[in-house]
Amino acid sequence: MALKELSARPSAQEVMRDAPVIPVIVLQDRAHAVPLARALLAGGIRMLEITLRTPVALACIEAIAKEVPEAVVGVGTVRSAADAQAAAMAGARFVVSPGYTRSVGKACHDLGIALLPGVATGSEIMMAQEDGYTDLKFFPALQSGGTGLLKAWHGPFNDVKFCPTGGITTANAQEFLALPNVACVGGSWLTPADALAAGDWARVTRLAAEAAGLKRG
Ligand code: 3PG
């Protein structure tokens, strides 16, 4: 199926509704960035969250933005306005944060870049909503209450969509995706560290294709 054309800066809705899974990626080596992005794309996954957890993360974002324009490179583990600004400068097209602060929300708003803010409580959902954010990352999903908490939130927060992340695997992804308030899930299982170290891009493509084939509820 041909992928829908996206603007340079997709909305949070577009980011969360593109594929059933957003890969959470930790890159240790800049040389892995482009082949990894191509491997995920070949499996049908183009929204890529590169986490700011390694010294090469910004260089990896820059490389993917320049060399794999069909992918939509985003940044994860954004914990400050400065993180968001640096990643946007490097070419990130969306931002994911493990929690929510007003300064990160304002920075992304000012940059005109989509933010999926991390929440784990009702108060955090309300704060993000107050600032206009209604497409949220639920993190850490499994550890914070998993599908039971999502079902409970669907009552008071039925206008919010979530991307549960943290503890999601092929074994439980479908259970999350079946819920009406889950737009997609996030996870690191598509990009195992040993596959990256070995340059086993075919394995990454297989994992991506399997993830792309998951059904939403
Ligand atoms: C994250 O790092 O954002 C999530 O913890 C990814 O969680 P996972 O490794 O359990 O998929």
Side-chain angles (χ1 to χ4, degrees), residues 26 28 32 188-201 203-204:
V26 179
Q28 304 291 349
H32 293 161
S188 60
W189 84 87
L190 282 65
T191 55
D194 61 333
L196 272 59
D200 189 352
W201 310 123
R203 181 172 161 212
V204 171

Side-chain angles (χ1 to χ4, degrees), residues 24 53 137 139 165-167 187-188:
V24 176
R53 294 183 203 179
K137 167 172 167 160
F139 176 76
T165 306
S188 60

Side-chain angles (χ1 to χ4, degrees), residues 98 119-120 138-146 165-167:
V119 297
F138 169 32
F139 176 76
L142 207 68
Q143 300 84 341
S144 305
T165 306

Side-chain angles (χ1 to χ4, degrees), residues 125-148:
I125 296 172
M126 286 163 64
M127 206 195 316
Q129 269 196 301
E130 257 180 38
D131 292 350
Y133 294 101
T134 54
D135 292 276
L136 311 177
K137 167 172 167 160
F138 169 32
F139 176 76
L142 207 68
Q143 300 84 341
S144 305
T147 52

Side-chain angles (χ1 to χ4, degrees), residues 11 20 46 51 65 79 85 88 95 119 123 129 167 184 191-192 197 208 216:
S11 67
R46 65 174 167 176
T51 58
R79 294 181 298 167
Q85 284 149 359
V95 172
V119 297
S123 301
Q129 269 196 301
C184 66
T191 55
R216 294 182 243 221

Side-chain angles (χ1 to χ4, degrees), residues 22 24 40 57-59 63 98-99 102 146 153 168 185:
I22 297 178
V24 176
L40 289 164
L58 286 174
R102 288 246 138 98
W153 277 345
I168 315 288
V185 298

